[in-house]
Structure formats: structure tokens, C-alpha cells
Amino acid sequence: MPAAFNIYDLYKIMFDNKIILIYQGVFDQEMIKSVISMTEKKLIQDNTDENLRKKLFNIMVEGLQNICKHQLDIDSTENNPFLIISSDVDSFDVVTGNLIANDKIGIVKEKIDYVNSLNKDELKEYYKKARLNSVISSVGGAGLGFIDMVRKSGNPLEYKFYDLGTDFSFFIQKTKVGNSN
Amino acid sequence: MELSVLKVAGTEDTPEILFDTQTNEYIISGRSLPEDVSSFYKPVFDWLNEFEKNITSNPSFKFKLEYFNTASSKIILDILMRLEEINNASSSTVNIEWYYMESDDDMLEAGEEYKELVEIPFNVIAF
């Protein structure tokens, strides 16, 4: 860490934005288990509503396993995937970021825009159909993550692609998990 | 051929599995979010292949899951469809009991969705 870096500034940013967790680095199953168990403990301590806790757990698993299965094996220490969780009174924001090849942006965008456009009943039908037709991929995914995240959170998925000026972009995705739905 | 017991201890990311023809108990319980669902659940499908040839009583397969990820959701559907096949091919009746915690609407809905997809005696039960 550069000496000029002010730890207090980072703390202030976290505090002001109600960030309870920031992680950047390797995403694997062990990391996912640790982060989830840590978050769960904190939520139990804070007496967070059980249903909200389950939904957050759900969104975290899908989001993190998505990255775990799709992270690019690029020999670079730059642009690690990250996870940020912030909490408000009755909701949590789960934000993840990971590198994506520019030629994959279109398909990801199309997938998310489509699930975001569906209402509750349409999502249910789409999930059922997609699950029936899905095949577990070589990386162990069923291709159902985004649909499930919209269904369980009850909110559309927000996203952004940051152009890095190379063949890759940074894919930032935010899911709001609220208690009201 | 004697059908062995399938017993897998639960962990924080994989469910406990107990399939036992001696006690006539068949239960999958806990959390399912393994890194590799296909390899984790392979023993279940292998066991079911043997079970199909040895089925005698009317077994009830209990699913008592607290949480499962989307990849597991696909595999659970595959297990249910396999049980449907076994039920259809056998003179025994294979039952499904899907348990959900009373307050857990998502797990209730998951059970109801599976129930619509397979033609097999299927009970969704609160606990």
C-alpha cells in the first residue's frame, strides 16, 4: 500500500456509503464459503429478518459463483474481481465486478435486459422452461443465475460495462435485496 | 446384488444424503451449493440405477433443503425425473415429500414448481 494512502479516507468512504464488506482478489469456492459465513454471522448478530437474510445469501451465492465459474484466466494481477456489500435499513446492495471479454458483452447484456423486462409470473415461467432445457456446463453452471437473482431479489439487475481500452471490459453488476418484496 | 447404503455427511455447502433400503429411509437435507454439482450428485444417480433393479417397498424420498443454488436446482429436477421413471417402470409407488420451513415462501414455491413438472405422488409439507 503506498504510504500516501490514507486509511481513514477509505474508512470514511465505507462508513458514508454504509459498506459492510469489500473484497477484491481470488474468487473460489473457499472464498465464497468464508464470505458468506462471515456475512451470515453479522446478519444474525444484527437480528436481520430471516427471509431477508436468506435472500441475501441466495443473491450472494449466485453472484459469486457466477464470477467463480466465468472469471477469466488472465495472467494479470490487475482488475481482480471484487465484491462490495452495503446495507440500508431494510435492504442490501450486492455489487460485484469482474473482467469480461468485449465480444461477450452483447450476450450478457441481452440476457440481463431480457430477465429485467419480465414480470413475476413471466419470470417464474421462464425459469421453469430454462431449467428444464438447461444442461450443466463444463464449468458447472446451469445458466439460471440472472433469472434467479431477479426472482429472489424482486428487483431488476443494474449493470455497467467499463471500457478498459483493451479487448476486455469491467462488468459491474448490482442487485438490491430488499425486505419490502 | 445387495444394494448398499448411500450415506454422505453434510457440509456447509453440500447436503446430507441418506438412502437406506434397510430402514426404508431416503432423505436429502441441508444446503446444496457445491462447486461441481455433477460430480457431487453422481453417486446419487449411480445409486438410483441399482435401486431401480432392487426396489421392493413403496419408498418415500424426502427433500428437506434449507437452500440450494441454481445448478443444484437443475440436478434436483433431474433426480425427480429419474424417480418418476423408476416409479413408472415399477409396481412399487415412489413418493416425494418436499419439506419447507413454514416461513420460507421461496422453498414452498420451489416445491410447488417441481410438483407441476413431474408425474409422481408429490407432497409439499411445512415443518
Side-chain angles (χ1 to χ4, degrees), chain B residues 5-6 11 19-20 26 32 34-36 40 45-46 48 52 54 59 64 68-69 73 85 94-95 97 101 104 116 127:
Chain B
V5 176
L6 178 65
T11 70
F19 289 174
D20 188 343
Y26 311 92
S32 181
E35 188 169 15
D36 181 350
F40 178 79
F45 291 98
D46 291 344
L48 287 173
E52 186 172 29
N54 292 276
K64 211 168 184 176
F68 53 84
N69 67 355
S73 150
E85 278 175 11
V94 180
N95 296 282
E97 291 175 19
M101 256 171 59
D104 192 344
E116 288 170 30
F127 71 97

Side-chain angles (χ1 to χ4, degrees), chain A residues 107-174:
Chain A
I107 190 162
V108 170
K109 203 174 159 329
E110 196 181 316
K111 267 190 174 183
I112 299 181
D113 287 344
Y114 182 65
V115 292
N116 279 348
S117 74
L118 302 177
N119 67 29
K120 199 166 178 275
D121 290 338
E122 290 166 341
L123 276 169
K124 183 188 161 95
E125 283 314 306
Y126 182 52
Y127 185 79
K128 272 167 70 177
K129 208 175 78 190
R131 180 171 60 189
L132 206 54
N133 297 327
S134 82
V135 176
I136 301 291
S137 70
S138 58
V139 289
L144 303 168
F146 291 145
I147 318 173
D148 195 52
M149 286 161 82
V150 179
R151 278 191 85 187
K152 297 281 165 60
S153 70
N155 293 312
L157 307 180
E158 294 172 44
Y159 63 86
K160 205 166 214 172
F161 295 95
Y162 279 101
D163 190 353
L164 297 172
T166 64
D167 289 342
F168 301 95
S169 296
F170 223 71
F171 169 44
I172 315 277
Q173 196 264 308
K174 178 171 114 180

Side-chain angles (χ1 to χ4, degrees), chain A:
Chain A
M1 197 179 288
F5 186 85
N6 190 330
I7 301 276
Y8 185 75
D9 289 345
L10 175 61
Y11 166 75
K12 271 295 280 176
I13 291 170
M14 289 182 73
F15 187 85
D16 293 344
N17 291 281
K18 297 178 178 151
I19 292 169
I20 57 173
L21 186 125
I22 296 185
Y23 172 89
Q24 67 98 0
V26 175
F27 277 52
D28 59 19
Q29 184 76 358
E30 288 310 309
M31 168 273 179
I32 292 176
K33 285 196 286 190
S34 316
V35 166
I36 282 172
S37 115
M38 194 168 84
T39 312
E40 270 197 310
K41 277 184 194 134
K42 175 167 170 48
L43 267 50
I44 289 170
Q45 258 176 18
D46 296 348
N47 289 315
T48 307
D49 172 81
E50 197 186 346
N51 270 321
L52 180 56
R53 214 169 68 218
K54 278 193 173 169
K55 283 186 191 297
L56 180 66
F57 181 89
N58 198 103
I59 303 302
M60 285 178 70
V61 170
E62 291 305 324
L64 302 185
Q65 287 193 327
N66 253 348
I67 293 181
C68 192
K69 292 179 196 308
H70 298 290
Q71 64 192 329
L72 297 167
D73 196 14
I74 301 167
D75 186 23
S76 161
T77 50
E78 282 175 45
N79 302 308
N80 276 326
F82 71 77
L83 164 71
I84 297 175
I85 300 176
S86 58
S87 73
D88 215 324
V89 184
D90 267 326
S91 68
F92 292 90
D93 284 343
V94 179
V95 184
T96 56
N98 62 297
L99 274 190
I100 180 171
N102 289 342
D103 59 7
K104 293 280 191 306
I105 290 178
I107 190 162
V108 170
K109 203 174 159 329
E110 196 181 316
K111 267 190 174 183
I112 299 181
D113 287 344
Y114 182 65
V115 292
N116 279 348
S117 74
L118 302 177
N119 67 29
K120 199 166 178 275
D121 290 338
E122 290 166 341
L123 276 169
K124 183 188 161 95
E125 283 314 306
Y126 182 52
Y127 185 79
K128 272 167 70 177
K129 208 175 78 190
R131 180 171 60 189
L132 206 54
N133 297 327
S134 82
V135 176
I136 301 291
S137 70
S138 58
V139 289
L144 303 168
F146 291 145
I147 318 173
D148 195 52
M149 286 161 82
V150 179
R151 278 191 85 187
K152 297 281 165 60
S153 70
N155 293 312
L157 307 180
E158 294 172 44
Y159 63 86
K160 205 166 214 172
F161 295 95
Y162 279 101
D163 190 353
L164 297 172
T166 64
D167 289 342
F168 301 95
S169 296
F170 223 71
F171 169 44
I172 315 277
Q173 196 264 308
K174 178 171 114 180
T175 310
K176 184 177 272 304
V177 192
N179 205 17
S180 52
N181 35 71

